[in-house]
Amino acid sequence: MSTPFYVSPQQAMADRAEYARKGIARGRSLVVLQYADGIVFVGENPSRALHKFSEIYDRIGFAAAGKYNEYENLRIGGVRYADLRGYTYDRDDVTARGLANVYAQTLGTIFSSAGEKPYEVELVVAEVGAEPEGDQIYRLPHDGSIVDEHGSVAVGGNAEQISSFLDQRHRDGMSLAEALKLAVQALSRDTNGTEREIPAERLEVAVLDRTRPQQRKFKRIVGRQLVRLLGADDAAVAKTDDPSDEAAEE
Amino acid sequence: MEANTRSTGRLPAAFLTPGSSSFIDFLADHSPELLPGNRRLPEGIVEAPHGTTIVAATFPGGVVLAGDRRATMGNMIAQRDIEKVFPADEYSAVGIAGTAGLAVEMVKLFQLELEHFEKVEGATLSLEGKANRLSTMIRSNLGMAMQGLAVVPLFAGWDEGKEKGRIFSYDVTGGRSEEHGYAATGSGSIFARGSMKKLYRGDLTEQQATTLVVQALYDAADDDSATGGPDLARRIFPIVTVITDEGFRRLTEEESSELARSITERRLEQPDGPRAALL
């Protein structure tokens, strides 16, 4: 194979972007939604130990699609950044906006430096406020751009389709059970429009719950609580259009 | 540190380098000047406010950790409402006696160390692991301890593996020992320990255990001028915390004031407190 002497910057960037996008598209998509009491993260993940969602700081959560080792590296960098900042100044001085900026700079520098391969990741950084108006959700694509999102956001290979599905159906003030069911519905739709079923044990769900008495608002939803929220029987989940199971919410 | 992040806006290489799950190790590599143990020590003895008495007792189902509210500097009361008992994480707490400023800083770093590990690894340290980590931190403070800036904590928590409450005490060199039943540290600890020795039983309920530790603090304040008793006039009451399999809980001000009031009331009739049987 021969190496061309000159590649235009446009072409080089386009190639790198395509490379990153393809990498991200290999994994499953995930969604992040606002609901009445906070922000919920939902994704399909057969692993119990390797998480797509995690806690960064008191009110800040992290979600990532793409290459595990790369986003894990960024996640730990973010935890270090947040803990160091909170230790140097104060816990209130750690914000999602600050963290998203640092991630954007990091991803941007990696994306445009010729010596490094671009990261095949797409991140979401979310912070739950004391009131729903204070919630912040930032989406960070592989190239280091930063998008301020509201209501719902999807990242990963099938993100565009899922996003438009969610945009039509998501509304403010949904209960956790409603938001969760909507998210699962969105994730269950394949590119060709057919629906498949995602059993509860293949779902990874976490919330930033502003009503938690603890300072740390991040919580994983697993096991019985998850099944309860999805409605008693899994088979019904994919079909449920009108989730009215208020009592299921804890 | 922060400045590095700001210069390029990008996370510095150290942040993205795979390494240990310890925040202290990260600080030691990245900004060693932020670690208390790495500071240059001035000559001579430094005088600073000291926290005094911390007591702890186990009961079937958990452990209680409590502290008085006084900080002293020499013969002066430096602060009347200092807080010396802190949650370390969801299932453990630490109470501190010794130089207040350093102790509070050490607790902050210790809390962060446990939280950082939990976030990075996705799992919590064992109670033994937490106790050992605290030991290392005290050891790194030995230089300052030699100049009179000692920190001597008491660590208590719920051991999920062993399913019981446990107490660990420390000396200035970081020497760690597990205490069975009850323990105390700080200037009033001799009196508190004597008090608990007479009152402690293995089958206390949670409520009896909280009463026991407040009685012990009362006795410590009775004989040690550096320990503060309940201040009914200013409504300053001891901090009492309980750790069970449900996690850490601090008694509300209402609960601890009620406890302190009823004990003070009884002491009006019996100044030396409850009597133990002679034989």
Side-chain angles (χ1 to χ4, degrees):
Chain A
M1 210 164 88
S2 65
T3 316
F5 287 109
Y6 176 76
V7 179
S8 74
Q10 288 94 327
Q11 188 57 47
M13 286 304 170
D15 287 350
R16 292 170 76 83
E18 195 195 337
Y19 169 82
R21 268 201 295 270
K22 274 189 178 160
I24 296 163
R26 269 194 288 273
R28 297 243 174 241
S29 304
L30 55 90
V31 297
V32 180
L33 271 75
Q34 276 180 280
Y35 70 100
D37 292 332
I39 295 168
V40 59
F41 301 81
V42 189
E44 188 179 354
N45 183 2
S47 169
R48 293 282 116 221
L50 308 174
H51 298 299
K52 288 173 183 288
F53 314 131
S54 47
E55 172 190 9
I56 296 282
Y57 211 63
D58 296 348
R59 297 180 155 271
I60 305 174
F62 171 97
K67 210 163 178 232
Y68 179 79
N69 71 317
E70 290 177 350
Y71 69 68
E72 176 69 2
N73 197 18
L74 288 168
R75 179 183 77 88
I76 291 175
V79 170
R80 287 174 176 166
Y81 163 85
D83 280 348
L84 180 61
R85 201 174 160 86
Y87 181 64
T88 322
Y89 303 111
D90 185 76
R91 292 193 84 93
D92 284 347
D93 296 314
V94 184
T95 60
R97 196 183 54 83
L99 183 68
N101 272 329
V102 170
Y103 276 146
Q105 294 298 336
T106 307
L107 284 169
T109 318
I110 293 170
F111 182 73
S112 50
S113 97
E116 262 174 296
K117 115 184 166 45
Y119 270 19
E120 299 156 66
V121 296
E122 188 164 11
L123 312 180
V124 175
V125 172
E127 177 176 342
V128 68
E131 302 295 328
E133 296 77 52
D135 290 352
Q136 293 170 46
I137 303 176
Y138 298 99
R139 183 167 62 88
L140 295 136
H142 55 274
D143 60 357
S145 48
I146 180 167
V147 192
D148 186 0
E149 302 272 7
H150 292 280
S152 64
V153 52
V155 294
N158 200 12
E160 268 176 45
Q161 198 196 338
I162 297 176
S163 280
S164 61
F165 180 85
L166 286 175
D167 284 344
Q168 288 162 19
R169 288 163 183 82
H170 180 270
R171 54 186 171 72
D172 289 341
M174 291 177 109
S175 74
L176 176 56
E178 286 170 341
L180 182 54
K181 283 177 191 171
L182 175 62
V184 174
Q185 240 182 351
L187 292 171
S188 314
R189 297 167 65 83
D190 273 331
T191 20
N192 53 21
T194 57
E195 285 196 21
R196 54 200 184 86
E197 197 180 301
I198 309 176
E201 50 288 353
R202 285 182 66 89
L203 281 176
E204 182 181 351
V205 180
V207 289
L208 285 166
D209 179 353
R210 73 178 111 253
T211 62
R212 284 198 103 201
Q214 286 95 329
Q215 192 171 28
R216 295 163 67 186
K217 307 295 180 193
F218 184 88
K219 182 173 176 272
R220 289 187 192 286
I221 295 186
V222 289
R224 290 228 306 277
Q225 193 191 1
L226 178 58
V227 173
R228 209 165 53 233
L229 280 169
L230 288 169
D233 106 65
D234 289 343
V237 171
K239 285 180 248 133
T240 316
D241 271 326
D242 175 30
S244 53
D245 192 9
E246 283 288 344
E249 199 187 338
E250 202 179 51
Chain B
M1 42 173 276
E2 230 24 57
N4 298 355
T5 321
R6 222 176 282 133
S7 61
T8 60
R10 177 186 173 165
L11 284 172
F15 283 66
L16 299 175
T17 313
S20 108
S21 311
S22 161
F23 183 70
I24 295 177
D25 289 356
F26 170 68
L27 271 191
D29 285 345
H30 184 251
S31 351
E33 75 285 354
L34 289 179
L35 278 181
N38 285 347
R39 275 182 213 132
R40 268 176 50 104
L41 301 174
E43 294 283 316
I45 300 288
V46 182
E47 234 190 78
H50 273 63
T52 42
T53 310
I54 305 291
V55 292
T58 57
F59 63 91
V63 57
V64 178
L65 187 71
D68 73 313
R69 304 293 293 273
R70 182 173 290 179
T72 54
M73 202 158 81
N75 64 345
M76 201 176 71
I77 296 172
Q79 201 183 337
R80 291 176 199 284
D81 61 350
I82 188 175
E83 298 198 358
K84 298 182 277 185
V85 180
F86 304 91
D89 63 2
E90 203 141 348
Y91 288 99
S92 62
V94 57
I96 40 145
T99 314
L102 290 177
V104 170
E105 186 183 13
M106 189 182 285
V107 168
K108 196 175 155 196
L109 192 55
F110 183 56
Q111 288 169 327
L112 196 51
E113 174 78 358
L114 301 186
E115 187 190 322
H116 188 82
F117 184 96
E118 191 187 322
K119 287 190 289 196
V120 171
E121 298 264 325
T124 50
L125 277 169
S126 65
L127 191 71
E128 202 91 24
K130 296 174 201 170
N132 284 338
R133 206 66 196 124
L134 189 55
S135 202
T136 319
M137 293 175 65
I138 299 164
R139 203 167 292 132
S140 70
N141 191 50
L142 187 58
M144 285 198 254
M146 302 287 281
Q147 290 184 303
L149 300 175
V151 178
V152 194
L154 203 56
F155 177 66
W158 174 256
D159 191 324
E160 284 179 284
K162 292 201 162 81
E163 302 215 319
K164 61 171 186 176
R166 297 171 74 187
I167 306 170
F168 297 90
S169 69
Y170 298 85
D171 61 35
V172 281
T173 64
R176 182 207 95 164
S177 54
E178 180 165 2
E179 304 275 353
H180 298 282
Y182 57 90
T185 183
S187 65
S189 63
I190 324 155
F191 309 108
R193 207 175 295 136
S195 170
M196 285 191 287
K197 189 178 187 173
K198 296 294 172 227
L199 297 177
Y200 181 81
R201 296 192 317 268
D203 60 351
L204 297 173
T205 63
E206 177 182 324
Q207 212 213 331
Q208 287 172 324
T210 53
T211 311
L212 171 87
V213 290
V214 179
Q215 288 279 17
L217 284 175
Y218 193 105
D219 281 321
D222 209 18
D223 287 309
D224 171 38
S225 63
T227 305
D231 189 338
L232 300 181
R234 292 190 182 83
R235 300 191 55 79
I236 302 170
F237 305 104
I239 291 175
V240 184
T241 65
V242 183
I243 307 145
T244 62
D245 59 355
E246 305 217 323
F248 173 92
R249 186 174 83 89
R250 177 175 156 171
L251 260 57
T252 60
E253 192 181 313
E254 210 167 289
E255 288 171 309
S256 61
S257 74
E258 177 57 39
L259 197 54
R261 268 175 211 283
S262 65
I263 287 173
T264 315
E265 222 138 84
R266 291 298 297 273
R267 295 266 173 155
L268 294 178
E269 295 153 24
Q270 229 170 7
D272 293 339
R275 302 265 159 84
L278 203 52
L279 261 181

